[in-house]
Amino acid sequence: MAAASVVAVTAGDVHTGPRSSDRVVSHVVRNNSYPAVCWMEGDPVIFQGVSRRNWVRLQLVRGGTGYVNAIYLKGNDRGNVTDHC
């Protein structure tokens, strides 16, 4: 899968997996772009009255991957990422 680019609409936590209970390993910052690999369903997250279950796998700068809920990303309910994990 080729990396896509996603942009954060607001600050949000990046976790080790697609669950809010997974360890936080990084953060996304509003208006910054990040390399994304794919999306998958996980725990729902509610932000400003909207709920999303889709999480986007990011390539972390220091290596490895992390997951951010698409609610924190610009675009559709998958952060405009087309590939499913």
Side-chain angles (χ1 to χ4, degrees), residues 25-83:
V25 293
S26 190
H27 300 85
V28 294
V29 178
R30 184 175 183 252
N31 291 327
N32 284 9
S33 62
Y34 302 90
V37 179
C38 56
W39 68 273
M40 66 187 312
E41 285 190 8
D43 283 354
V45 171
I46 299 171
F47 178 70
Q48 295 182 341
V50 176
S51 177
R52 291 224 173 112
R53 297 188 70 88
N54 295 330
W55 292 69
V56 174
R57 184 187 299 169
L58 302 178
Q59 294 176 335
L60 302 178
V61 172
R62 66 179 182 277
T65 58
Y67 294 81
V68 64
N69 190 285
I71 200 91
Y72 302 117
L73 304 174
K74 292 183 179 181
N76 63 18
D77 67 340
R78 296 178 306 275
N80 290 340
V81 175
T82 56
D83 292 334

Side-chain angles (χ1 to χ4, degrees), residues 15-23 42-43 45 55 67:
H15 299 262
T16 56
R19 293 174 298 280
S20 299
S21 60
D22 288 331
R23 187 171 53 91
D43 283 354
V45 171
W55 292 69
Y67 294 81

